[in-house]
Amino acid sequence: MASSTTTLPLCTNKTLSSSFTHNSFVAKPSQFFLHGSRRQSFKVSCNANNSGEHEKNLEGVDRRNVLLGLGGLYGAANLAPLATASPIPPPDLNSCGTATITDGPPVPYSCCPPKPEDLDSVPYYKFPSVTKLRIRQPAHAVDEEYIAKYQLAISRMRELDKLDPFDPIGFKQQANVHCAYCNGAYKIGGKELQVHFSWLFFPFHRWYLYFYERILGSLINDPTFALPYWNWDHPKGMCLPPMFDVEGSSLYDAKRNPHVRNGTTMDLGSFGEEVQTTQLQQMANNLTLMYRQMITNAPCPLLFFGKPYPLGTDPSPGMGTIEDIPHNAIHAWTGTVRDNVTSFGEDMGNFYSAGLDPVFYCHHGNVDRMWNVWKTLGGKRKDLADKDWLNSEFFFYDENRNPWRVKVRDCLDSKKMGYDYEPMPTPWRYCKPIRKTTTGKVNTGALPPASKVFPLAKLDRAISFSINRPASSRTSQEKREQEELLTFNHVKYDDRKNIRFDVFLNVNKTFNADELDKPEFAGCYTNLPHVHGDTHTADASFQLAINELMEDNGLEDEDTIAVTLVPKKGGEVISIESAEIKLEDC
Ligand code: C2O
């Protein structure tokens, strides 16, 4: 097979070059970059040992759950919240109810899975022995033979629905798994169970894909079958993978936003507004977003995974970096335009329906791959050790329609689960925005202090303020020990709306908020619409790690810095109570 070499003229202090041995489906956007012949591979390790503290505990039943009668499958609904923290048990299937799709006229949607015959004895999952790893490949680079297999597996899964719409391994019921865990059908301890906007995000989706992949494999009698991954962190993968864009194929979904077709370059920060920019700038923005979300803003486990969500607390305490961008944005980019009348973002733009688009599982393949990659990036980038996370549980059906309960602690190492990712270069690693040559602090004296700007009732236009730092001129040792976190407390908004606002440091009036490949760009906050019972106000805290930005903008010795917030979507429904800079241990 011919190999092509791509040179990316981005990130100008370093010319990126990578070689590809796949030649199928060269997407339009990447042709943009094709030139040169120097052959060089990135040193990428996506298969480092992830184990850390993987403890086999498949037989263990969480004692606290049993004592308190809270083990979801065994428990009753509407229990009072617990005073002490404990892990989220598997959902209570007896109390599974109607999901909520939207805020408009109520659209009841039923997505509870079929109940196992003997609800009380759903066992803990045991991994079948692994003889050969299933290798997930980048979706833009798979061959025709693979595509044919994948199409066949999905069409067989769709056919199961015709025989029995309640078949737990049918296409519809598999999509419903996502709905039940995300749109309020499951309750835990009297509150809605939500697997997004918290530390449950990565492990829930990993287990979900694990079973989905095994079901597809069994439908085509190929135990080595692996889902593809949507390689959106690489310029070659920054468009809808072509195999999903073939009308009539089982991989096609007519409900997608038409703008995603025909190799349109993605915007990894998209929130429905088209950014008027060049394709090159778009790619540079995307790679910078990846750099920020994987490296700058995710030096600590809780920043990457999301906020703690023990039993008894409210759902949606706060997202990790990758869930925010690009995960949410890609859902919004792929789903249809949300007009609240005829559509609510179906399929990809709404959690209840996202699993009905086959590309969902391909998108989440790459989200899952980012978990593995993040753990190879060094520093404190390791799995959480908190028992409330490790012992949280989910409920799934396997390829033989057997029900199982699974624990977070058993999904930390994808190889132990029997799969891995074919490595691809991760060019965003080298896309640290370049340090400014003309350093200089903007005049913070001319700006209102944070104490005057907050509480901010409405983020309906860009605002700048000055804010004090708890310490300046920190040593490298001090910086390793504590992260400097720009923190926004009680960011409240209508959670039924698409939201995005961006944060910049030390900018003057002439900056361009559509160019993110700059050291001043700190990060963004987004929301994908989702409904929580009757209260529609999300209340989250949002933190950006700014150690690097202080260095890159020459601000290390400053006591006060300038911060600018730029609303990009839904600013009129966002309020923020306060802003502060804190030093925190990871
Ligand atoms: Cu469960 Cu991408 O969402």
Side-chain angles (χ1 to χ4, degrees), residues 259-334:
H259 79 176
V260 309
R261 302 199 59 188
N262 305 315
T264 308
T265 304
M266 301 167 80
D267 174 357
L268 295 189
S270 162
F271 258 80
E273 313 285 75
E274 296 289 333
V275 177
Q276 294 309 321
T277 188
T278 62
Q279 198 175 36
L280 191 62
Q281 181 67 49
Q282 185 63 68
M283 292 280 186
N285 285 357
N286 288 346
L287 291 168
T288 308
L289 283 167
M290 287 308 304
Y291 180 86
R292 286 282 182 254
Q293 301 307 76
M294 290 290 278
I295 297 177
T296 318
N297 285 324
C300 310
L302 286 174
L303 293 174
F304 178 76
F305 287 104
K307 297 245 150 53
Y309 176 29
L311 182 65
T313 59
D314 284 335
S316 309
M319 290 174 284
T321 51
I322 289 295
E323 179 181 2
D324 178 3
I325 295 269
H327 162 264
N328 277 355
I330 292 168
H331 274 278
W333 183 80
T334 314

Side-chain angles (χ1 to χ4, degrees), residues 178 182 196 201 205 327 331 351 360 363-364:
H178 197 251
C182 320
H196 301 90
F201 175 75
H205 291 86
H327 162 264
H331 274 278
F351 290 139
F360 169 93
H363 173 34
H364 272 276

Side-chain angles (χ1 to χ4, degrees), residues 17 30 61 88 170 191 199 208 301 384 386 429 474 507 530:
S17 162
S30 52
V61 175
I88 295 282
K191 293 174 191 269
W199 70 10
Y208 182 24
L384 294 159
D386 193 316
R429 285 179 200 225
R474 294 196 300 147
V507 289
H530 58 294

